[in-house]
Amino acid sequence: MVRKAVWFPTDEMKKKMRMFQLMEKNGITDYDEFYQRSVRNTPWFWEEVIRDLELEWFHPYRQVLDSSDGVPWSRWFVDGKLNISHNCVDRFAKASSSRNRLAVVWEGDDGEVRKWTYRELQNAVNRFARGLTRLGVQYGDRIAIYLPMVVENVIAMLAAARIGAVFTPCFSGYGAEAVAARLRDCRAKVLVTADGFLRRGKAIKMKEEADRAADLSPSVEKVVVVRRLGRDIPENGERDVDWDQLMTESKALPPVHADADDPFMIIYTSGTTGRPKGTVHIHAGFPVKAAFDAGYGMDLRVGDTLFWMTDMGWMMGPWMVFGTLLSGSTMVLFEGTPDYPEPDRLWQVVADHGVTHLGISPTVVRALMKHGEEWVNRHDLTSLRVFGSTGEPWNPEPWQWLFETVGKKRVPIWNYSGGTEISGGILSSNLMEPIAPCSFNGPMPGMDADIVDEKGNSVRGEVGELVMRQPWVGMTRGFWGDPERYENTYWSRWPNCWVHGDWVETDEEGYWYITGRSDDTLKIAGKRLGPAEVESVLVDHPEVAEAATIGVPDSDKGEAAVCFVVLNPKARESEDLRLELIGSVAKNLGKALRPKAVYFVKELPKTRNGKILRRAIKAAYTGRDAGDLSSLENPEAVKVVQRSAVK
């Protein structure tokens, strides 16, 4: 089927875009020529990007790219020294033209609004950085940030980077066990949390979960508490410190001169097996990639306002922070939900704050479109210039609704896909070219992406594996404390070739489409979740012997978790036990990750070497072809799963 483009940029639009202006600086006016040059000579391309971003270096780098330790361990901007906190706030705060520009706008669930200029943000970052040093946080120490969408999230990130510490953001909806797994893995010294937050008008406790997580994590010495709600909370006199107590010293704290290759952030992402993977990101990596993707891919400029509906525990949270601040733009942080107290809350936020760039997932669009267009039409949304979308594939109906009903066919949808390990996107829409529904125009500049068959040969017009042929700025510097797992996960299939784990195809017009994951990882409402994280909660129950989790299509979340459980011999199946298991997952991992269903089975499909074959379970449950199942030890178990699907 030929998919026709529905949005077309004018020549006037293109000439104003940062991407076009970067091309012009290099004497290029044709985008395809620019892309080809960016992948033929990736060091040239990324050096031009950091020059155009006007990053400030304390010591110049001597080499853009060094792959002498192997492509998986490529180093960028060798021997250069900088600090990403300095580049995000100091260089704008010191300039008279930008110091009073808004950096952050925060809106609470209850409608309260607070704002920070670049100068005010710099002052807060300095104060908290000094506070961290008083707690004994030193260069290279890890701090975990387990906060709702409040400005303290941004301040803590930048303060950690300022003193050379490494922060790890945790999803605010996680339960204690999920947070503790991350604290233990990176051996976090400090945990920053809040007493709670508001959601749909109700106070959600947070300190209690943080305490449980800290209790399970021997490395945690201090718990810093943001008093978001001012509620009574349990206190640990030896461990707890109020945020405000650390914000008393206003004297400027010079940023450390960090190596370009030094870690500044660890973001955990889940795979199909084992514990969560701590992707390591460096000062001259993730922020640069985020700034390029936001600034040039999404065309975020000075004076623009970016609002991405996300959480700081997911990649798009830090992406918004660094993409916005390195562009000298404004970000909106929103504590609430898009349909509370009325179905037009999201559109009201856009109108009230003059949002120019709105990041919104297909899941949110599917939920809002049920309320009809009258809620949209109550608000002046003419400030909008670009929609962004990532985390899950589109289906046509919500894409058309967003484009036509909300954007009035005027605002393009910038489709965007990559990952935590990428620091942003591999594929995206191109605002300089016509855009077709649900599609990508192709790989982003600097990203030498390809589609290959099972032998690693390039293919077009058929489904294949998405791979990267060359390193890029922003690629993770391995998994924290587990370099072998990193190499095995992404680099072991073909030499010097990153295998991303997405199935991709192109159509006859050259548009790219992601058809699904090539592994077992779940994506629930755009949030990636490894089945092992759900399964570990289930098997912790005294009556559960084994468990397997799959992702199935869901009309609201895009994908939902369905679990299959084998009970211990003396245990008995019951509806109460089923509900208890569902509730346990929601409590430990967060309500958003609550399973859609739990089924009791006598055995799980396994290979002869004892590996649970989730692919077979998912195929049986969804009625799809599972392919070769010759390795199954017990094919009869698949039939049990099939019967579960029709109950």
Side-chain angles (χ1 to χ4, degrees):
M1 180 182 72
V2 176
R3 301 174 173 93
K4 298 293 185 182
V6 296
W7 181 84
F8 302 85
T10 65
D11 288 340
E12 183 180 0
M13 287 180 186
K14 287 191 280 190
K15 290 178 181 178
K16 292 180 180 179
M17 292 181 185
R18 291 179 69 185
M19 185 82 79
F20 183 84
Q21 292 168 4
L22 178 61
M23 290 164 50
E24 270 199 324
K25 285 183 179 179
N26 288 277
I28 303 171
T29 56
D30 178 74
Y31 177 82
D32 290 338
E33 179 187 346
F34 180 66
Y35 172 77
Q36 289 301 325
R37 186 172 175 187
S38 79
V39 295
R40 286 197 307 266
N41 189 348
T42 53
W44 162 82
F45 170 75
W46 288 109
E47 185 169 36
E48 289 303 315
V49 169
I50 65 161
R51 284 176 176 169
D52 207 54
L53 287 171
E54 298 181 343
L55 295 188
E56 294 183 355
W57 297 80
F58 300 130
H59 184 274
Y61 52 87
R62 63 173 175 81
Q63 185 177 353
V64 177
L65 172 63
D66 179 5
S67 297
S68 59
D69 292 333
V71 172
W73 302 102
S74 296
R75 299 173 61 209
W76 291 89
F77 311 114
V78 180
D79 292 343
K81 290 186 179 296
L82 78 169
N83 187 292
I84 205 58
S85 177
H86 169 84
N87 276 283
C88 282
V89 292
D90 292 15
R91 64 189 177 119
F92 295 111
K94 70 183 179 183
S96 58
S97 60
S98 54
R99 63 171 58 113
N100 295 318
R101 184 187 305 155
L102 280 180
V104 183
V105 176
W106 173 79
E107 180 168 325
D109 180 82
D110 56 357
E112 180 187 358
V113 174
R114 297 174 65 194
K115 301 179 180 181
W116 289 261
T117 65
Y118 274 86
R119 192 171 192 172
E120 289 166 339
L121 181 60
Q122 181 199 37
N123 180 266
V125 169
N126 266 297
R127 288 172 181 266
F128 193 63
R130 284 199 173 275
L132 287 175
T133 61
R134 294 205 305 274
L135 291 183
V137 178
Q138 299 178 355
Y139 197 95
D141 285 342
R142 277 76 64 200
I143 74 167
I145 304 173
Y146 176 48
L147 286 170
M149 287 298 278
V150 290
V151 74
E152 286 83 357
N153 238 314
V154 179
I155 294 168
M157 290 179 182
L158 295 171
R162 190 171 199 83
I163 63 175
V166 182
F167 71 86
T168 183
C170 300
F171 172 46
S172 62
Y174 274 148
E177 283 78 5
V179 176
R182 288 149 177 81
L183 296 177
R184 290 194 299 267
D185 188 73
C186 73
R187 297 182 182 178
K189 191 172 187 177
V190 173
L191 173 61
V192 183
T193 191
D195 56 356
F197 58 96
L198 295 178
R199 185 172 179 84
R200 296 185 173 276
K202 296 180 180 179
I204 306 299
K205 297 178 180 179
M206 204 168 192
K207 175 61 159 54
E208 289 80 351
E209 292 297 309
D211 281 344
R212 287 177 58 211
D215 290 342
L216 294 168
S217 310
S219 64
V220 174
E221 299 175 5
K222 296 294 181 181
V223 174
V224 179
V225 184
V226 175
R227 300 282 181 165
R228 162 69 184 100
L229 301 179
R231 55 178 284 266
D232 290 333
I233 55 174
E235 296 186 14
N236 182 322
E238 294 183 359
R239 193 171 63 189
D240 292 354
V241 181
D242 270 6
W243 173 277
D244 289 345
Q245 292 177 6
L246 300 180
M247 297 290 286
T248 57
E249 191 171 343
S250 60
K251 185 179 178 181
L253 180 66
V256 301
H257 292 197
D259 286 341
D261 207 43
D262 278 350
F264 86 107
M265 175 175 66
I266 303 169
I267 310 183
Y268 283 86
T269 182
S270 298
T272 56
T273 59
R275 69 184 190 279
K277 306 187 297 283
T279 63
V280 180
H281 293 287
I282 62 174
H283 278 258
F286 184 103
V288 175
K289 172 64 172 163
F292 175 78
D293 290 8
Y296 301 84
M298 203 182 185
D299 197 40
L300 183 70
R301 313 170 195 165
V302 170
D304 286 342
T305 299
L306 172 63
F307 168 32
W308 204 291
M309 280 289 302
T310 186
D311 186 276
M312 286 300 170
W314 309 126
M315 187 209 81
M316 293 308 297
W319 182 96
M320 174 172 63
V321 171
F322 296 104
T324 301
L325 297 180
L326 287 181
S327 298
S329 308
T330 305
M331 79 183 83
V332 172
L333 302 181
F334 179 49
E335 178 188 47
T337 51
D339 58 352
Y340 176 85
E342 299 288 351
D344 61 342
R345 181 62 181 277
L346 178 65
W347 317 124
Q348 181 180 340
V349 171
V350 170
D352 287 351
H353 302 300
V355 172
T356 56
H357 293 66
L358 173 64
I360 184 171
S361 71
T363 294
V364 171
V365 174
R366 282 190 287 266
L368 294 179
M369 64 188 290
K370 296 176 182 177
H371 299 292
E373 62 181 282
E374 64 167 294
W375 293 99
V376 178
N377 294 335
R378 292 183 179 190
H379 301 280
D380 179 2
L381 304 181
T382 53
S383 64
L384 282 172
R385 203 170 80 242
V386 183
F387 291 118
S389 172
T390 193
E392 57 182 311
W394 281 97
N395 52 301
E397 186 180 5
W399 195 100
Q400 293 286 359
W401 188 82
L402 181 65
F403 179 67
E404 296 177 3
T405 302
V406 183
K408 311 302 182 188
K409 300 183 179 181
R410 175 184 62 85
V411 183
I413 299 176
W414 184 67
N415 209 10
Y416 182 59
S417 182
T420 305
E421 305 90 331
I422 306 297
S423 296
I426 297 175
L427 306 178
S428 77
S429 302
N430 182 355
L431 301 181
M432 296 180 63
E433 295 181 349
I435 294 174
C438 309
S439 72
F440 303 90
N441 289 85
M444 303 191 74
M447 307 299 284
D448 191 7
D450 197 5
I451 306 171
V452 302
D453 62 17
E454 66 278 2
K455 295 181 180 179
N457 299 318
S458 298
V459 295
R460 291 295 184 271
E462 62 181 87
V463 176
E465 284 271 10
L466 178 63
V467 301
M468 288 287 293
R469 299 288 191 186
Q470 293 187 71
W472 64 96
V473 166
M475 60 188 288
T476 180
R477 285 288 290 165
F479 299 152
W480 184 260
D482 202 346
E484 184 177 352
R485 187 183 181 196
Y486 163 65
E487 292 186 357
N488 289 339
T489 300
Y490 292 110
W491 300 97
S492 60
R493 193 163 178 185
W494 298 293
N496 294 328
C497 185
W498 171 287
V499 179
H500 189 59
D502 279 339
W503 291 115
V504 179
E505 64 178 334
T506 58
D507 68 8
E508 59 271 35
E509 294 186 41
Y511 291 106
W512 292 48
Y513 298 87
I514 293 177
T515 61
R517 292 293 296 171
S518 58
D519 59 17
D520 294 328
T521 302
L522 289 73
K523 276 194 174 179
I524 300 175
K527 301 173 180 67
R528 185 176 292 183
L529 180 75
E533 291 198 78
V534 179
E535 293 158 7
S536 64
V537 174
L538 295 171
V539 298
D540 275 346
H541 193 284
E543 296 187 24
V544 174
E546 290 185 305
T549 299
I550 61 169
V552 302
D554 182 85
S555 58
D556 292 323
K557 296 183 178 181
E559 198 171 43
V562 171
C563 307
F564 295 85
V565 168
V566 178
L567 297 179
N568 289 317
K570 294 183 179 180
R572 295 290 179 265
E573 300 178 10
S574 70
E575 187 61 20
D576 286 344
L577 178 57
R578 189 193 315 275
L579 294 175
E580 185 180 344
L581 292 173
I582 291 173
S584 180
V585 174
K587 177 183 177 182
N588 285 286
L589 298 182
K591 293 181 180 179
L593 306 179
R594 178 187 180 94
K596 183 176 184 178
V598 168
Y599 295 99
F600 299 116
V601 295
K602 298 301 181 185
E603 59 182 349
L604 299 169
K606 294 181 180 180
T607 62
R608 291 186 176 91
N609 62 2
K611 181 180 178 181
I612 297 172
L613 203 57
R614 296 182 185 86
R615 170 170 56 88
I617 298 173
K618 184 170 184 176
Y621 188 82
T622 57
R624 296 180 179 178
D625 180 16
D628 181 19
L629 296 179
S630 60
S631 64
L632 270 182
E633 178 71 22
N634 53 346
E636 63 277 7
V638 176
K639 297 178 182 179
V640 177
V641 175
Q642 289 173 328
R643 290 196 293 270
S644 300
V646 297
K647 285 183 179 180

